[in-house]
Amino acid sequence: MNDASQPKTLANRTALITGSTSGIGLAMARRFAAAGANIVINGLGEADAIETERAGIEAEFGVRCIYSPANMLSGAEIGDMVKLALESFGGCDILVNNAGIQHVSPIEEFPDEKWQAIIQINLIAAFHSIKAALPAMKQRGFGRIINVASAHALVASPYKSAYVAAKHGIAGLTKTVALEAATDGVTVNAICPGYVWTPLVEKQIPDTMAARGLTKEQVIHDVLLEAQPTKQFVTVDHIAGLALFLASDEAASMTGAILSVDGGWTAH
Ligand code: NAD
């Protein structure tokens, strides 16, 4: 369900979702808005397209939605993004660390700057956003931090050394902050999607073709879906649905959990 008639389980809440100009993050922003939350969207992209999306969320769901252009490579900009949420809406109740990039290459040829950018955007950015948002959550006695990790937080694949390292790292960060915030009404959980059909997956197909000497069809069926017993891509709505539950009052006892939504990938 993702329309204006959805129950308003997040009324009076504010949700900040990093990397929400595309893919999983955008689906979560729309789902949270449908549930009545005010939204801060963030991410890269063309200004006109982002403005259309932002204004569309407000018009469709009757909530307020603002855009932060913070680059996840900058701790200072991440701090400003959280400040924008706090100043605009008086709180940042739900923080989703979702922005992410990928690069596929054997480690011997992995460009240093790509390795660093992946660790920065997929892991260190979450440190900065949590550090900035947690004090206000603790003060209000309510917070929901959702880190979008990956099946690669639990298992590895070749040629993805930086991504796998970052995603294993964010699983550890999730569990640590869950313990630190456990008595403050703040939960911290990680969602671990399998392969979801988004631009992030589509863009890695050419590099995987090159790294493994395969055709596009072989990459889709023999590499990507090979890992998933369901033989189906996960959808952005499957991820957004779980995120909505984790953000709700009913999920108060779920914290420090590393939750797979991967079509059975990590079951074998
Ligand atoms: P996507 O490429 O569709 O979206 C990524 C988002 O991150 C975009 O909004 C982009 O603008 C933003 N972003 C990238 N670099 C940024 C930066 N420097 N500063 C600010 N924003 C930046 O990808 P997606 O598949 O929706 O991925 C979202 C998350 O889900 C990522 O953390 C990814 O690792 C994770 N994930 C995706 C899959 C999958 O199969 N698609 C599987 C497991 C985990």
Side-chain angles (χ1 to χ4, degrees):
M1 201 191 307
N2 196 17
D3 57 42
S5 67
Q6 187 170 316
K8 303 299 175 205
T9 52
L10 300 184
N12 303 317
R13 300 282 190 215
T14 295
L16 188 169
I17 302 137
T18 71
S20 45
T21 52
S22 170
I24 293 169
L26 178 57
M28 289 195 282
R30 292 179 53 79
R31 182 66 65 98
F32 289 178
N38 289 322
I39 305 290
V40 181
I41 55 169
N42 156 262
L44 311 178
E46 283 178 22
D48 287 355
I50 294 170
E51 174 52 23
T52 302
E53 202 58 64
R54 187 205 64 75
I57 287 173
E58 288 197 334
E60 205 172 324
F61 304 114
V63 298
R64 285 187 60 208
C65 179
I66 56 177
Y67 169 65
S68 162
N71 192 315
M72 296 299 109
L73 290 168
S74 160
E77 290 185 27
I78 293 168
D80 290 344
M81 172 183 72
V82 172
K83 211 182 285 171
L84 178 72
L86 295 173
E87 286 173 2
S88 305
F89 298 125
C92 178
D93 309 297
I94 302 157
L95 167 67
V96 185
N97 290 302
N98 168 76
I101 59 166
Q102 173 64 287
H103 184 77
V104 181
S105 163
I107 194 159
E108 302 93 312
E109 293 150 29
F110 215 110
D112 293 4
E113 62 284 1
K114 281 274 182 210
W115 223 90
Q116 272 165 9
I118 289 175
I119 301 293
Q120 183 74 45
I121 294 167
N122 296 26
L123 176 59
I124 297 175
F127 157 68
H128 288 296
S129 65
I130 291 171
K131 188 177 177 184
L134 194 55
M137 289 180 176
K138 285 184 170 178
Q139 204 177 4
R140 290 157 67 95
F142 181 92
R144 296 284 185 265
I145 298 172
I146 301 167
N147 295 322
V148 180
S150 167
H152 284 122
L154 300 166
V155 296
S157 297
Y159 315 123
K160 296 184 176 177
S161 55
Y163 189 84
V164 171
K167 295 300 188 181
H168 275 65
I170 204 155
L173 176 66
T174 300
K175 291 192 266 188
T176 306
V177 185
L179 297 179
E180 292 184 22
T183 57
D184 294 296
V186 178
T187 68
V188 191
N189 294 289
I191 300 178
C192 297
Y195 283 108
V196 189
W197 190 255
T198 68
L200 181 139
V201 163
E202 227 175 326
K203 275 188 250 164
Q204 66 186 276
I205 289 176
D207 287 344
T208 308
M209 288 164 64
R212 294 181 183 238
L214 299 175
T215 65
K216 182 176 177 185
E217 287 64 35
Q218 285 171 323
V219 170
I220 290 176
H221 294 286
D222 302 344
V223 179
L224 303 182
L225 293 182
E226 201 277 326
Q228 263 167 224
T230 53
K231 303 297 171 201
Q232 305 277 338
F233 283 100
V234 177
T235 72
V236 294
D237 287 330
H238 295 159
I239 307 300
L242 175 57
L244 178 64
F245 176 70
L246 289 174
S248 72
D249 291 352
E250 289 93 327
S253 294
M254 287 184 72
T255 195
I258 309 299
L259 300 160
S260 294
V261 187
D262 64 6
W265 174 351
T266 53
H268 63 69

